[in-house]
Amino acid sequence: MNVAFVLPAPVRVPQGGAAVVFRHAAALAERGHRVDVVAPQREPGAWPRVRRGLVRARDAWHGVEGEQPFPTAGVRVLEPPVLDVGVLHMYDSVIATGHQTAHPVSTCGPGRGFYFVQGDERALSPRAEATWALPLVRFAVSAWVADLLRGRGHPVVGVVPNAVDSSDWQCDRAPAGRGAHVVALYHRHPVKGPRTLVRALRQLRERVPEVSATVVCARPPTHRLPRWVDVRVRPSQPELRAIYNRAAVCLHTSTVEGWGLVPMEAAACGCAVVATASRGPREYLDPGRSMVEVPVGDGAALAYHAARLLRDDRARRAVASAAVEDVSRFSWSASADALESILVGHSA
């Protein structure tokens, strides 16, 4: 089967949903399918041209301008100047991976167009919900996203969950006895809760003066983080694994999350997760048992519960151990099975 994943734009710093797309593309290629990732360089209209200029300037400032497409074994990465819908018709299955790509993919006709919905993109664009009604075969990253679509009258054929690879993410250091150190993801977009993160870190330091923190991000922060925070921009996978294994607690601050990979990776490495009720982490962690959940936007509650776990080693170990067990239930192999079944079962 010839498969194309369509991204909204080229990817130089793969993270979140884009990283998941490349993971699925590689899995299908390993199973003998011909797989392309299509990432057009331009969109029509004036604003996209302005935005591209701003992105190029930002990339130059952040040191990623001119980097090559993200390499994935067995997968071609195509970056045409514009998206040619005629080319998409050459594939057996074409998968839209964001609301920006749904309309062109919907022109492929019955049995060819698919829509991988990885979150509630209404938080990103008012046009997102309209794309859910397009004539595409919809599947979701999580049960809550599938329920959201069905609740709006849009059938969903299945769920293809994310996972963690145990060869990449595991406990190298037992949760017991880890120092007062926390880890968190920073992203400047409001949906990721950067202001909540700043408040949580400041209040946590007031509660636990000896606490230290590592914040990981794909690009340098635009918010002013506390000066005592160690900021790591684009750490390698081994470096990130070491960061998780040093931390006792992972803070998660999103307002809404389709899944949430960072809390899952951190949990696999023995961190106790304290997260906002952004829905995604509930797909793989159980509030009150394998994670602590607080209201969205409540930096004070994040700080309070993180401090409580840092002070109570027994309680933290219980949460962390339960989390390791919970995330181990998911595998990329099982997710590839689910994706392949959907494509084969619903293709023309």
Side-chain angles (χ1 to χ4, degrees):
M1 183 165 53
N2 295 332
V3 181
F5 291 86
V6 184
L7 291 174
V11 174
R12 295 294 178 265
V13 187
Q15 58 180 328
V20 169
V21 166
F22 280 104
R23 184 87 194 207
H24 287 317
L28 290 177
E30 289 174 0
R31 294 170 182 231
H33 302 287
R34 179 181 174 183
V35 185
D36 291 345
V37 172
V38 182
Q41 298 179 41
R42 295 200 300 272
E43 299 175 62
W47 166 241
R49 288 196 297 272
V50 174
R51 184 176 62 192
R52 285 195 301 275
L54 295 173
V55 169
R56 282 196 297 270
R58 182 189 65 181
D59 287 350
W61 179 258
H62 292 168
V64 297
E65 185 183 30
E67 286 192 9
Q68 296 302 305
F70 186 64
T72 301
V75 177
R76 288 196 311 172
V77 179
L78 307 178
E79 297 185 352
V82 294
L83 185 60
D84 183 349
V85 295
V87 171
L88 297 184
H89 293 194
M90 299 169 55
Y91 294 92
D92 301 314
S93 300
V94 184
I95 306 169
T97 62
H99 69 273
Q100 307 95 321
T101 64
H103 279 286
V105 172
S106 69
T107 69
C108 294
R112 276 204 178 96
F114 294 79
Y115 194 175
F116 183 26
V117 185
Q118 297 192 69
D120 185 354
E121 290 191 304
R122 294 176 301 177
L124 305 176
S125 170
R127 300 187 297 273
E129 185 166 3
T131 66
W132 298 345
L134 292 170
L136 295 165
V137 177
R138 288 165 291 274
F139 59 98
V141 72
S142 57
W144 86 260
V145 172
D147 290 342
L148 171 65
L149 296 176
R150 292 182 182 121
R152 297 298 191 276
H154 310 302
V156 176
V157 299
V159 172
V160 179
N162 293 336
V164 288
D165 190 329
S166 60
S167 64
D168 291 334
W169 313 108
Q170 60 178 292
C171 284
D172 302 317
R173 179 181 179 185
R178 295 191 186 188
H181 188 78
V182 301
V183 65
L185 171 71
Y186 167 87
H187 192 289
R188 66 185 178 87
H189 197 286
V191 78
K192 297 297 185 180
R195 293 182 183 276
T196 302
L197 175 60
V198 172
R199 288 194 298 270
L201 290 171
R202 287 175 177 166
Q203 294 194 34
L204 178 57
R205 183 77 158 192
E206 293 174 1
R207 291 182 175 276
V208 185
E210 71 273 22
V211 72
S212 57
T214 299
V215 167
V216 297
C217 47
R219 299 178 184 275
T222 55
H223 293 76
R224 184 175 295 178
L225 297 173
R227 296 170 68 178
W228 52 271
V229 172
D230 179 24
V231 177
R232 301 289 184 91
V233 179
R234 297 190 297 279
S236 67
Q237 186 277 324
E239 290 171 337
L240 186 54
R241 175 168 164 169
I243 289 169
Y244 289 150
N245 271 276
R246 178 189 173 195
V249 171
C250 173
L251 299 175
H252 173 73
T253 61
S254 291
T255 61
V256 61
E257 196 76 62
W259 186 271
L261 279 172
V262 166
M264 191 180 201
E265 294 167 355
C269 294
C271 291
V273 174
V274 181
T276 50
S278 57
R279 290 178 283 190
R282 277 193 174 213
E283 294 289 312
Y284 50 89
L285 296 176
D286 181 17
R289 189 185 67 86
S290 56
M291 68 179 285
V292 176
E293 189 176 78
V294 305
V296 168
D298 196 339
L302 283 165
Y304 170 82
H305 287 286
R308 178 177 60 83
L309 292 177
L310 291 175
R311 296 298 195 200
D312 188 340
D313 195 63
R314 182 176 180 180
R316 180 182 57 79
R317 284 188 287 113
V319 172
S321 297
V324 170
E325 179 181 348
D326 283 356
V327 300
S328 69
R329 297 181 291 112
F330 298 86
S331 73
W332 287 115
S333 177
S335 294
D337 289 342
L339 174 57
E340 188 176 41
S341 177
I342 288 170
L343 297 180
V344 172
H346 294 85
S347 294

